[in-house]
Amino acid sequence: MANVKGAPKGARTPWQVTRSVWYAMFVREALSRTMGDRMGWFWMIFEPFALVAIMVGIRSFVGGGGRLITNAPFMPWMIIGMMGFFLVREGMIRGMGAIDGNKALFAYRQVQPIDPVLVRNFLEGALRSLVFLIFIGGGLMLGLDMYPDNAIRAIVAWLSLWSLGLGLGLVTSVAATLVPEVGIVIRMISLPLLIISGVILPLNSLPHWLLEYLMLNPIPHGLETLRLGFFENYKVVQGTSMLYMWLFTFTLISLGLLMHLRFVDKLKAK
């Protein structure tokens, strides 16, 4: 490979250095995430399975199954929504602890505070994608309708939710590091956010005046599109727009990048 013009012979380009940093951090995070606990893989699969089972049981008992869901079986509808929500939530929450968890690495000038946030989000998204595929395979073996009718739409919606989690993680990583109380508040609102995002109850059953406010939240737009990718005749919530979600996502990512650029010295000193 030819050397960059003006660079000393044998010197690595900034992109090569960045790739090396990301690879080393990815291996470090992956080993910590999957091998730090003997039952790491078990909990990674059992935790969402247990939450889905509990939510499905409560919803079936209280709501009588899927009578309020148009053209979509209740259990797959619930599983798909919860897996999509976990993807966003984990991107947001794990991004908050990325900087504090890698303080020692900032002694190397090649490592910037944004690096662990990006690496953690990629790793978490990859693991969540693997778990989702396991759920899809398990559901198909159990006879559930978990095969996507429009795989391209489902993949695009999944990647969109992944990107939304990245944007939230970039913003919260800076905010929670500079103001620790922010992290406490964000963790507290994660459960209400699950409820108002249409994960457990279909938002179509709510009054229109309330729905207008709830759809300001970008998460339902991604979840409804993801569900539509699995059930082509599914009636999505009125006002669902991937354009709105992507505008929101790009705004968060841009804001997060600007915050990291503006507060890089403070983040390293924390």
Side-chain angles (χ1 to χ4, degrees), residues 23 32 46 141 164 199 207 231 233 254:
Y23 176 74
S32 174
F46 180 76
M141 287 190 290
L164 178 59
V199 177
F231 317 114
N233 296 319
S254 300

Side-chain angles (χ1 to χ4, degrees), residues 26-266:
F26 177 81
V27 173
R28 179 176 181 267
E29 290 284 342
L31 291 175
S32 174
R33 183 85 166 86
T34 59
M35 304 298 179
D37 183 352
R38 288 186 303 175
M39 300 183 67
W41 279 105
F42 171 78
W43 289 115
M44 204 176 302
I45 298 173
F46 180 76
E47 180 187 15
F49 174 80
L51 287 173
V52 168
I54 292 171
M55 293 300 178
V56 167
I58 294 175
R59 180 68 181 86
S60 298
F61 178 76
V62 175
R67 290 180 294 180
L68 297 177
I69 303 170
T70 305
N71 298 328
F74 167 65
M75 192 172 294
W77 178 91
M78 171 80 76
I79 293 172
I80 292 166
M82 294 199 75
M83 295 306 297
F85 178 81
F86 289 155
L87 180 66
V88 177
R89 187 196 67 177
E90 293 303 306
M92 176 179 66
I93 291 180
R94 293 197 177 274
M96 289 192 302
I99 295 177
D100 285 339
N102 292 273
K103 280 182 185 177
L105 298 179
F106 299 150
Y108 302 95
R109 61 183 179 83
Q110 297 93 337
V111 182
Q112 300 298 320
I114 194 173
D115 292 331
V117 180
L118 296 176
V119 170
R120 276 200 180 185
N121 180 269
F122 178 79
L123 174 62
E124 192 61 36
L127 292 175
R128 289 287 165 183
S129 299
L130 177 60
V131 172
F132 191 28
L133 290 175
I134 293 174
F135 268 75
I136 292 175
L140 290 174
M141 287 190 290
L142 292 174
L144 298 178
D145 184 10
M146 293 288 291
Y147 192 84
D149 294 330
N150 189 328
I152 294 177
R153 176 182 283 139
I155 292 172
V156 170
W158 183 259
L159 294 177
S160 300
L161 290 165
W162 192 342
S163 300
L164 178 59
L166 170 62
L168 290 168
L170 287 170
V171 173
T172 58
S173 62
V174 177
T177 302
L178 298 178
V179 185
E181 291 76 14
V182 171
I184 299 174
V185 174
I186 291 175
R187 287 184 174 86
M188 287 175 59
I189 67 173
S190 62
L191 180 58
L193 192 62
L194 181 144
I195 297 173
I196 66 175
S197 295
V199 177
I200 303 173
L201 298 172
L203 296 180
N204 272 327
S205 62
L206 300 176
H208 180 71
W209 65 268
L210 179 59
L211 187 60
E212 288 183 336
Y213 292 102
L214 294 181
M215 290 305 286
L216 295 175
N217 172 13
I219 299 177
H221 298 267
L223 296 184
E224 290 296 290
T225 305
L226 180 62
R227 286 162 170 159
L228 183 62
F230 278 82
F231 317 114
E232 61 181 355
N233 296 319
Y234 172 62
K235 183 179 179 182
V236 299
V237 175
Q238 183 178 359
T240 298
S241 169
M242 287 302 289
L243 176 61
Y244 171 79
M245 180 185 174
W246 268 108
L247 288 175
F248 202 101
T249 299
F250 281 136
T251 300
L252 284 175
I253 292 175
S254 300
L255 178 61
L257 293 174
L258 287 173
M259 290 173 70
H260 272 273
L261 186 62
R262 171 65 178 81
F263 299 108
V264 60
D265 293 330
K266 289 186 178 181

